[in-house]
Amino acid sequence: MRVPLRPLSRRGLLTGALGSAALVAAGGGLAGCGTKGAQQTEAGCVGEDLSGTEKKLTFSNWPQYLDVDEEDESKRPSLDEFVRKTGIQVTYTEDINDNNEFFGKVRQQLAACQSTDRDIIVLSDWMAARMSRLGWIQKLDPANIPNVRANLLPPLLNRSFDTDNQLSIPWQSGLAGLAYNGKVTKELRTVDELLTRPDLRGRVTALSEMRDTMGLLLGAGGHDPSNFTTAQFDDALHKLKKAVDSGQIRRFTGNDYAPDLAKGDIAACIGWSGDVIQLAAADERVRFVAPDSGVMLYSDNMMVPNRATHKANAEQLINYYYEPAVAARLAAYVNYICPVKGAQAEMEKIDPELATNPLIFPDEALLSKSTMFMALDEKQEKEYEGKFQQVIGA
C-alpha cells in the first residue's frame, strides 16, 4: 500500500541557528543547547529500568511512519503483532512533527536529567547527533538487539556520530537527490543543470534542510560531503547563492514541493526518495535522479532517552523491527529505504513491484553513490546553518 503524501517533512529544518521565533517558542532551541548545565553523562544520569516488572513502553514517532490497516486505521498490524508476541503494551504517539519542535518539548527535562515519559523516540541523524553529544541518550545493550547486529545495512554501520551504533538505530532511511517531471521538462541528470539550465529558470525548488541541499552541492563541486572544510562549504554555498540571485530557484521547501512537482507547477527540484516513489506511482513521468556526483543518505533513528524506565522493553521492540519479515511489512507502507538486510526477499511475498524498487532496496551501484553528511559540532552547526539561512532567506 502506498500512503498519501505526508503534509510535514520528517527531515525537519534547522531554522534556528540565529534564534528564530519558532525556536524561541520551542524553548530556546539552539540558543541553549550547549549552555552550562545542559550536558549530561552516563554516570551522572542513571535511570531505573522497570521492564522486569512492567510490560509496557511508550513510543514517540512521526505521523504516518508506521503501517496501518487499510480497513481499520486504528490497527497497526506490525505493532499489534509485537504486543501479541511479547505481551508488552505499547503506547504509540505520533507527536514528532519537526526535529527542532520536538527538541523544544523535551530539552528542559533531558537537560535536568528528568524523565520525558518516553521510552523510544525517532529523530533524524543531525538531531540524534546533537542529543548524543549532549549525553541525553542511553547506550543500548548489544545482547538485546541481535537482529540489528545481524541485519543492519553496511552503509548505516559506524556512522560518524555513533561509531558503534550504541545510541541510535535506523528506523527508516532515505535519499536526497534530484527529481523532475517529464511532462513539463526534459531529462535532468546533474546538479549543475538544476542550478543553471535556462529552461528551468524560476521552475526549481531546493530543500530547506541544509544537510541535503548543501550535501548535494558539495558533491557536485568535487568535495566530500562527509568530510569538508569551511572553504569548500563556502564554495558550494556561492553556487547556491548565484542560483537564488538569478531567479533559477523559486523557493526552498520541506516536502511541500511534492504536490507542485506532481502538477508540473515546478519542473525540477532537490527532493526525497520516499516522496518521489509515491508521486511516480501515480505518474511515471515523475522521476528521481541519483546524479553521478552522489546522493545524500539519511536516517531517522530509534533512541532511548535518559531516564526512560522501560529500556529493555524498548530494545525488544527495536530488535523486533529488525526481523526481515517485519521490516518488509513496514517498508511496504512507508516506502522509504528499508535498513534491514533480508527484507527485500520478504517484500517479494508482499509486493513484487516494491521489491525491485531501488529507492526502497538500493543496489550496490546506488549505495556506492550515497554519502552521509559530516557530523557537526555545535560551533560548526551554528556557522554553517547561519550562512545557509542567509542565502535561502529564511
Side-chain angles (χ1 to χ4, degrees), residues 151-330:
N151 298 330
L152 180 61
L153 287 179
L156 298 172
L157 290 166
N158 301 318
R159 295 172 295 171
S160 58
F161 65 89
D162 186 13
T163 53
D164 48 10
N165 295 94
Q166 287 189 321
L167 300 170
S168 58
I169 305 300
W171 171 251
Q172 295 290 285
S173 296
L175 298 172
L178 308 180
Y180 70 94
N181 187 332
K183 177 174 63 177
V184 296
T185 192
K186 62 183 181 182
E187 184 180 22
L188 176 73
R189 296 304 312 168
T190 70
V191 175
D192 285 343
E193 282 184 79
L194 184 81
L195 298 181
T196 62
R197 217 169 73 187
D199 66 296
L200 294 178
R201 181 165 296 170
R203 306 167 69 204
V204 169
T205 62
L207 293 170
S208 53
E209 168 55 52
M210 182 269 287
R211 287 157 176 80
D212 292 332
T213 291
M214 291 305 300
L216 288 170
L217 266 70
L218 281 160
H223 310 307
D224 181 357
S226 68
N227 184 20
F228 58 85
T229 66
T230 297
Q232 291 170 339
F233 181 90
D234 290 346
D235 176 59
L237 190 66
H238 177 68
K239 292 180 180 179
L240 183 67
K241 187 175 187 304
K242 284 181 65 176
V244 171
D245 292 346
S246 70
Q248 184 80 2
I249 296 177
R250 179 187 297 184
R251 65 188 181 102
F252 291 81
T253 73
N255 62 355
D256 50 329
Y257 67 87
D260 289 339
L261 182 64
K263 291 183 291 186
D265 290 347
I266 61 169
C269 63
I270 294 175
W272 291 307
S273 56
D275 293 335
V276 180
I277 288 175
Q278 294 175 43
L279 295 180
D283 185 347
E284 63 181 11
R285 291 171 294 184
V286 177
R287 300 288 180 87
F288 183 85
V289 176
D292 289 340
S293 57
V295 290
M296 300 307 298
L297 175 66
Y298 66 86
S299 297
D300 294 323
N301 304 277
M302 296 178 281
M303 301 182 292
V304 178
N306 285 352
R307 302 304 297 270
T309 52
H310 305 96
K311 177 173 175 285
N313 291 344
E315 289 167 338
Q316 281 198 59
L317 186 140
I318 292 169
N319 194 60
Y320 166 77
Y321 274 99
Y322 269 72
E323 294 177 12
V326 177
R329 183 187 298 181
L330 176 61

Side-chain angles (χ1 to χ4, degrees), residues 112-130:
C113 190
Q114 297 172 354
S115 173
T116 65
D117 297 320
R118 297 170 175 88
D119 300 299
I120 299 178
I121 57 178
V122 178
L123 295 169
S124 301
D125 290 324
W126 58 267
M127 184 57 79
R130 185 198 295 178

Side-chain angles (χ1 to χ4, degrees), residues 37-38 40-41 44-47 108-115 136 306-307:
Q40 295 292 342
T41 65
C45 188
V46 178
Q108 291 186 344
Q109 296 103 303
L110 291 172
C113 190
Q114 297 172 354
S115 173
W136 292 356
N306 285 352
R307 302 304 297 270

